[in-house]
Amino acid sequence: MFKQIKTFSEKVIPENLKEKMKELGQTIAPSAHGGGGGASGSGGPEEKPELVPLRALQKAPPANPEGTPEMRLLVVLQPPEVLPPPPAPGGAYSPVVIIGNTAYVSGIGPLSPDAAAHVAKVGASEDPASGIVGMDAGKRAARACALTMLAVLRAQLGSLNHVKRLVKATGFVNCTPDFAQQPEVMNGFSETMIEVF
């Protein structure tokens, strides 16, 4: 079958058109190793300045000197902290949807050490009798959300080593009207993700 396809392409696409297509491809995006001469002096066309940032994106990212995400997770988890079991979906949705090479994770709540440990509002001043906790407790709840998300990703992907980085996180902080430090609370989530990825 492959021989038939090759034979068909040879008959349908004339040789001069193949060369023209190859030349056009090199003009649009010359290869990073040897296609375009540029400053190397091989006599080829100069690298277009607008393509230089794209070349940087084509390079493989450097390996993290601190190991893989799974290895770093062992350091990030502070005993008695553990990854909670991934929660069962609460409705007709998928916990993780993969489109291309991007994984989208659905809403995650704090489950570590258990969900009841984080049922409160964050306030400017603590009032345990009214169910209002301080910013530190809010950050711990955000970290618990991060650990729950890591558990979901590991369960769906098989390993956290398949994740290169976190692109975006949206967080909701249950707080009193006078509390204005929601970004600081969300840092509990972000800092955990930075430590792992």
Side-chain angles (χ1 to χ4, degrees):
M1 178 175 167
F2 293 113
K3 185 175 182 179
Q4 290 173 343
I5 293 171
K6 184 177 178 186
T7 305
F8 176 77
S9 69
E10 287 172 352
K11 289 177 184 176
V12 174
I13 303 174
E15 193 62 39
N16 61 347
L17 185 57
K18 287 183 197 175
E19 288 301 318
K20 189 67 175 170
M21 289 170 61
K22 185 175 180 182
E23 181 183 317
L24 182 61
Q26 285 296 324
T27 302
I28 294 171
S31 64
H33 39 274
S40 66
S42 65
E46 288 289 324
E47 177 81 70
K48 292 183 178 181
E50 61 270 16
L51 294 178
V52 172
L54 296 176
R55 291 283 166 246
L57 293 174
Q58 290 177 335
K59 294 178 184 173
N64 191 312
E66 297 173 8
T68 66
E70 287 285 345
M71 291 168 54
R72 289 191 299 277
L73 181 63
L74 297 175
V75 176
V76 169
L77 292 174
Q78 301 296 319
E81 224 174 25
V82 294
L83 281 187
Y93 66 91
S94 296
V96 176
V97 174
I98 299 174
I99 299 174
N101 63 353
T102 305
Y104 295 87
V105 182
S106 62
I108 298 290
L111 296 181
S112 178
D114 60 75
H118 305 288
V119 179
K121 284 189 174 190
V122 182
S125 58
E126 291 185 45
D127 184 5
S130 300
I132 299 172
V133 298
M135 187 173 56
D136 289 339
K139 282 184 83 168
R140 283 193 300 275
R143 179 178 174 87
C145 287
L147 296 178
T148 304
M149 182 177 284
L150 293 172
V152 168
L153 283 168
R154 181 192 260 175
Q156 293 292 315
L157 303 176
S159 169
L160 295 176
N161 294 340
H162 298 296
V163 180
K164 289 186 181 178
R165 63 178 291 208
L166 178 72
V167 176
K168 177 184 176 184
T170 302
F172 300 94
V173 179
N174 185 15
C175 60
T176 59
D178 63 335
F179 187 76
Q181 294 179 299
Q182 292 86 354
E184 186 64 29
V185 171
M186 280 301 298
N187 279 345
F189 178 92
S190 301
E191 290 165 0
T192 304
M193 291 299 180
I194 289 169
E195 289 173 352
V196 174
F197 300 115

